[in-house]
Structure formats: C-alpha cells, structure tokens
Amino acid sequence: MSLGTVVQNGPLGVTAIEPDEFTDFVANRATALLRTAYLLCGGDRGAAEDLLQDVLERTYRKRGRVRGGLEPYVRAGLANAAANRWRTRSRRVPEAPLERAADPGTWTDEAARLADRDRVATALGGLPPRMRAVLVLRFFDDLSEADTAAALGCGVGTVKSQTSRGLERLRTLLDAPVRS
C-alpha cells in the first residue's frame, strides 16, 4: 500500500491509519506535542517525554479505531494521561528534580527568558490538572473553545469557566514573590 492510504475496516466503515502515515504524523508533530506534554507536566521535561511516548504508543496500538484526526486524539490522550499521572503521583513520595548547574559565564538575557518560562511552567504545575489542561490547550496549542471541549470531553461552558478561573489563579501564582 502507498503512503497515506487507508483501509476500510469492518461494517462500521472505520478507517485504519497505516503505519507509515502514523510515522509521518509523529515525525511532523512530535515537537509540538512534546511542548504540550511539557506544559501539562508542569515543566518536567523527562515526565513530558515519558507521557508523550506512552500516549503515542497507546495511540499506535489503537490506530485502527481512531476516528477523526490523529492530532486531536493524541492531544486528548495527553490531557487525560497527565491528569491520571498527577492523581497517581499524589499518592507517592514527592520527587525532587535534579537541577543542572550552569556556567555563570554563559548567562545573558537568555537567562531571564528561561527564568520567565520556568516561572510559567511552575505556576501551571500549581494548577489542578483539568484547569492546567484547559489553559495549555487553549493558549499554548491555540485550540478554540469547541476544540478544547472536544479534546477534554466536556462542554464549552466548562472550558470557558475553567479558562476564566485558571487565568485568575495563574495571575495570582505569577504575581507571588519568587522564592530563592
């Protein structure tokens, strides 16, 4: 079969996604999906990579049953898996991230930009998982309210209220004094 072809499966007419098509999807969208996972994991890159790999693996196994586009399906999977991850982690002993020591000679304005990014990721990590998922999908992935609601399996009104409350809470967290 050629790249991008689909096969009709079963009496429902569900189309199966070919392995080559899935490989192309991952190659083209992995960076954007990793960014989403990073923000959903509160700035923990290792956890984001694990989360994305887990969701892509599950999606690949279920690719024959995916209706609609792969990207909305994967984004919904990321949001749900991140919420489940936080539920599971809340029952465990807290982990402390290993910070890398940077050479002070390499600090420039880039350091301030990275510090701002870290503050936003940390503040996002302080939000409840569902609220964080709404903000990440709406503002970092630039999804509409309807697309966000579809990805999270909730109503548009829920997305609107979670957005409003989440932005207010995020402002409060970002305005709080930085602890050193």
Side-chain angles (χ1 to χ4, degrees), residues 82-124:
N84 290 340
R85 176 182 174 271
W86 285 107
R87 277 187 221 115
T88 303
R89 271 186 84 189
S90 69
R91 296 181 198 119
R92 292 186 192 164
V93 175
E95 299 174 7
L98 177 64
E99 299 293 332
R100 292 185 211 163
D103 177 20
T106 62
W107 294 352
T108 61
D109 289 336
E110 182 71 12
R113 190 177 71 77
L114 290 174
D116 286 344
R117 279 181 42 189
D118 184 56
R119 283 192 72 212
V120 170
T122 301
L124 280 169

Side-chain angles (χ1 to χ4, degrees), residues 9 18 22 29-30 36 55 62-63 69 72 80 88 96 105 107 120 126 149 165 169 171 175 178:
N9 258 354
E18 292 298 310
F22 188 82
R29 299 301 302 155
T36 300
V55 168
K62 296 177 182 179
R63 71 187 185 280
N80 291 330
T88 303
W107 294 352
V120 170
R165 290 182 188 131
R169 211 149 165 203
R171 282 185 198 104
D175 289 341
V178 178

Side-chain angles (χ1 to χ4, degrees), residues 37-178:
Y38 176 81
L39 293 169
L40 288 169
C41 289
D44 185 343
R45 184 173 173 90
E49 290 170 349
D50 291 344
L51 181 73
L52 179 59
Q53 182 173 343
D54 184 49
V55 168
L56 288 174
E57 180 183 322
R58 282 189 271 144
T59 302
Y60 182 78
R61 281 186 273 137
K62 296 177 182 179
R63 71 187 185 280
R65 293 178 276 180
V66 174
R67 292 186 182 180
L70 272 174
E71 190 155 354
Y73 185 86
V74 171
R75 287 190 190 282
L78 285 172
N80 291 330
N84 290 340
R85 176 182 174 271
W86 285 107
R87 277 187 221 115
T88 303
R89 271 186 84 189
S90 69
R91 296 181 198 119
R92 292 186 192 164
V93 175
E95 299 174 7
L98 177 64
E99 299 293 332
R100 292 185 211 163
D103 177 20
T106 62
W107 294 352
T108 61
D109 289 336
E110 182 71 12
R113 190 177 71 77
L114 290 174
D116 286 344
R117 279 181 42 189
D118 184 56
R119 283 192 72 212
V120 170
T122 301
L124 280 169
L127 297 176
R130 200 62 149 173
M131 190 177 286
R132 179 175 47 249
V134 167
L135 292 179
V136 168
L137 294 176
R138 284 282 292 127
F139 298 107
F140 291 97
D141 288 341
D142 203 26
L143 295 183
S144 69
E145 290 169 342
D147 291 341
T148 301
L152 297 176
C154 63
V156 173
T158 302
V159 170
K160 289 179 181 182
S161 66
Q162 289 291 299
T163 300
S164 176
R165 290 182 188 131
L167 288 174
E168 184 60 36
R169 211 149 165 203
L170 197 58
R171 282 185 198 104
T172 302
L173 290 170
L174 289 173
D175 289 341
V178 178

